[in-house]
Amino acid sequence: MERDPEGHLSSPNNNPLASRIWRSTAEAMDQRSGAWALEDLLPAPAAEVVPFDVDWVFSWVDASDPNWQEMFAAWAPEEASDASDRSRFATRDDLKFALRSLELYAPWIRTIHVLTNCRPPEWLDVDHPRINWVDHTDVFEAEHLPTFSSHAIETVVHRIPGLADHFVYSNDDFFLTRRTEPADFFHANGIARLRLEPYGIVNGPATPGDPDYLNGARNSAALLADEFGRTPVRLHTHSPQSMNRTVLAEMEGKYADAFTRTRANRFRDSTDIAVTGFLYHHYAFLTGRAVPDGGTTLLIQQNHRYARLFAQLLAAQDTGQLSKYLSVCVNDGRGSHDNADWDAQARSFLQSYFAEKSSFER
């Protein structure tokens, strides 16, 4: 900060905490010896600063795990579908790179919970004080296991032992690409920031054969329309999702039948609700506990111009540019595990963009 002609201390740029420190305050602080911090000016933390802990939750699966393969073989439907597509369960060590992104860009996260029915990868230090490895048996009723449905897993996230009330839910293919603060995900008063798609796409009744994510959103929209007389139409982006454990528990109590029905389906089904992909965000918005207010995110899939997008992200990083994206999703599905070029390019990008080993690795 620099003194202006009137003797005030002025910041080079406007900011929400201290664009100007008045001359009388600055002169009083000058009487102190040594450096002083903004916190020294205030009797308590600024009202705009998030005052609560925030956790992070990953859902994770590893199709190379022999135990998982045995379970899958025993329960997989005879007729293949998008719900049982093996690309949904394949991994290229995405979790390793997602954890690297958290350590690099969100070191303020309190605890990272990994919810899974697989054994830990060999590279992961499960004894790390900030890692909580959570088996499906810790949160599911026995009669609903094993499960291979992300919709079912979404219905139990809030049951994770020790989970903070405010947390971010994330698939392991979501990667932060710039430095973040808790305020990127929550307002200081606890309201969640939502990153909804800019267009409406959810309409009509759930229909077998339509995409599972769409039917899950349709069923969720019907629940909200019945209760609030309002019909949500926008999906959440493929990006980390700001959530509240208490709100999810409230939803489970209110929509118990829908939660139980979804939890009982071992693979995605047209009768499911989409808890973290749709229902939570709109329920929280309609009850005043969330607002559409998130940063720009990027989704990259095999049917996109992925080589160019990967190159652009790497080039921006090499030149030290601040990423315009909060996160990038390198998304598999629809047989992408058989696309050798896609897999090679995705692996190369992740290994280059997140090259530094994290403290979560052995």
Side-chain angles (χ1 to χ4, degrees):
M1 303 186 84
E2 297 181 351
R3 297 251 183 209
D4 63 21
E6 297 176 342
H8 310 306
L9 283 175
S10 297
S11 171
N13 299 298
N14 283 330
N15 65 81
L17 295 181
S19 290
R20 171 176 290 182
I21 296 176
W22 302 99
R23 182 175 60 189
S24 57
T25 303
E27 290 175 348
M29 298 305 292
D30 284 342
Q31 302 304 312
R32 301 189 181 190
S33 61
W36 48 269
L38 174 63
E39 289 78 6
D40 297 328
L41 300 176
L42 307 174
E48 293 83 357
V49 175
V50 171
F52 44 80
D53 289 329
V54 179
D55 283 358
W56 198 282
V57 176
F58 285 110
S59 56
W60 184 73
V61 65
D62 177 9
S64 68
D65 182 338
N67 292 334
W68 183 92
Q69 292 176 350
E70 184 177 343
M71 289 190 297
F72 186 87
W75 290 96
E78 292 184 7
E79 184 176 346
S81 68
D82 185 50
S84 59
D85 189 326
R86 286 299 291 270
S87 64
R88 290 196 172 277
F89 311 106
T91 181
R92 59 176 67 88
D93 280 338
D94 302 89
L95 181 62
K96 177 191 293 183
F97 300 109
L99 288 172
R100 289 181 182 183
S101 83
L102 285 191
E103 185 161 85
L104 188 61
Y105 296 126
W108 45 267
I109 291 293
R110 187 192 68 160
T111 302
I112 300 167
H113 309 268
V114 184
L115 180 58
T116 183
N117 59 356
C118 298
R119 63 187 179 186
E122 292 183 358
W123 54 262
L124 180 65
D125 179 8
V126 292
D127 295 323
H128 192 286
R130 293 175 60 212
I131 294 290
N132 181 29
W133 193 261
V134 186
D135 191 84
H136 283 184
T137 56
D138 296 326
V139 290
F140 274 96
E141 296 85 359
E143 63 266 28
H144 296 150
L145 293 177
T147 187
F148 308 92
S149 168
S150 59
H151 285 166
I153 294 166
E154 292 170 6
T155 69
V156 298
V157 170
H158 59 288
R159 296 180 174 182
I160 292 175
L163 180 65
D165 207 40
H166 297 85
F167 68 96
V168 180
Y169 178 69
S170 178
N171 295 340
D172 65 349
D173 59 359
F174 298 165
F175 310 95
L176 297 178
T177 56
R178 63 168 173 81
R179 179 83 179 192
T180 66
E181 300 294 340
D184 286 302
F185 300 93
F186 296 95
H187 289 278
N189 59 4
I191 289 177
R193 295 181 184 267
L194 307 180
R195 287 163 293 282
L196 302 179
E197 296 284 6
Y199 48 83
I201 198 172
V202 179
N203 52 69
T207 305
D210 280 357
D212 299 321
Y213 72 85
L214 178 59
N215 283 330
R218 286 165 164 170
N219 292 327
S220 301
L223 289 178
L224 297 175
D226 286 345
E227 179 172 356
F228 297 100
R230 307 279 294 279
T231 303
V233 297
R234 296 162 64 191
L235 296 169
H236 196 281
T237 60
H238 281 66
S239 67
Q241 302 168 19
S242 309
M243 314 203 81
N244 183 288
R245 180 182 55 80
T246 301
V247 176
L248 284 164
E250 178 183 309
M251 290 164 51
E252 181 180 14
K254 186 170 291 188
Y255 307 123
D257 290 344
F259 269 69
T260 301
R261 181 180 65 248
T262 300
R263 198 175 296 141
N265 290 329
R266 299 187 191 276
F267 290 86
R268 284 186 176 190
D269 189 86
S270 62
T271 64
D272 290 346
I273 54 172
V275 176
T276 68
F278 190 87
L279 181 61
Y280 168 83
H281 312 292
H282 296 289
Y283 178 85
F285 172 73
L286 291 169
T287 57
R289 289 171 286 185
V291 291
D293 192 24
T296 302
T297 63
L298 178 64
L299 169 66
I300 304 178
Q301 297 174 308
Q302 66 168 340
N303 60 331
H304 298 168
R305 296 180 178 179
Y306 55 84
R308 185 177 71 175
L309 291 170
F310 289 146
Q312 289 174 347
L313 288 168
L314 288 169
Q317 184 188 57
D318 288 343
T319 58
Q321 295 180 34
L322 177 66
S323 175
K324 62 182 178 180
Y325 303 110
L326 175 77
S327 66
V328 59
C329 173
V330 181
N331 185 243
D332 284 296
R334 300 183 182 276
S336 60
H337 64 296
D338 291 325
N339 185 333
D341 184 70
W342 157 257
D343 185 62
Q345 296 257 10
R347 287 179 185 274
S348 178
F349 165 72
L350 293 173
Q351 290 166 355
S352 298
Y353 203 91
F354 303 107
E356 296 297 323
K357 182 178 177 179
S358 75
S359 66
F360 305 116
E361 298 168 47
R362 295 183 186 278

